[in-house]
Amino acid sequence: RKRDDLVTEVEREKKDLVKLQLLLQGSISAQVNQGVQEYANVFLSESSQKYPHRFTDQLKDVYRSFMEVCEIALKLHGQLINVQQALLQQDMMSKFYQMK
């Protein structure tokens, strides 16, 4: 769902910076990120061999797609912000790369 919301916002003709920021923060912030990262750790790590491959492969595809959309949205956000929001951009980029 978050991925789809980000895609919609990125593809929107008239960009809404506030909505984009909220979506990004909700996708990569530490509180939310912990859930995403925990899924990746449990289901996509080397120890995930106990789960059916078709499901872990699907989850890998979804996670990869989510990360790609987050990166595109972060780049767009970086183009839309003003100087006062540069620290927020840096913080989100840092959190994103930690998550990646």
Side-chain angles (χ1 to χ4, degrees):
R1 168 121 165 97
K2 285 195 179 292
R3 181 206 165 278
D4 293 341
D5 291 343
L6 278 170
V7 167
T8 299
E9 197 56 40
V10 166
E11 293 178 347
R12 182 185 304 261
E13 185 74 29
K14 186 176 180 205
K15 307 300 184 207
D16 182 343
L17 180 59
V18 174
K19 187 169 184 180
L20 182 61
Q21 283 177 345
L22 291 173
L23 287 169
L24 279 168
Q25 288 173 320
S27 296
I28 63 175
S29 73
Q31 297 84 5
V32 176
N33 172 334
Q34 194 60 34
V36 172
Q37 213 157 9
E38 191 61 28
Y39 279 116
N41 290 341
V42 171
F43 295 107
L44 304 180
S45 68
E46 297 301 319
S47 63
S48 70
Q49 301 304 318
K50 60 185 173 183
Y51 302 106
H53 286 289
R54 71 175 194 261
F55 295 127
T56 56
D57 288 346
Q58 285 177 336
L59 187 56
K60 285 177 187 176
D61 290 342
V62 169
Y63 187 74
R64 190 176 302 112
S65 176
F66 173 72
M67 295 302 289
E68 288 170 359
V69 171
C70 282
E71 189 166 24
I72 291 167
L74 277 168
K75 287 178 182 177
L76 174 62
H77 181 265
Q79 295 168 358
L80 297 175
I81 61 170
N82 59 39
V83 175
Q84 290 88 1
Q85 296 168 315
L87 286 176
L88 173 62
Q89 176 71 12
Q90 290 174 349
D91 182 57
M92 288 194 298
M93 291 293 290
S94 174
K95 289 176 181 174
F96 172 74
Y97 286 113
Q98 288 173 3
M99 194 168 91
K100 201 171 180 184

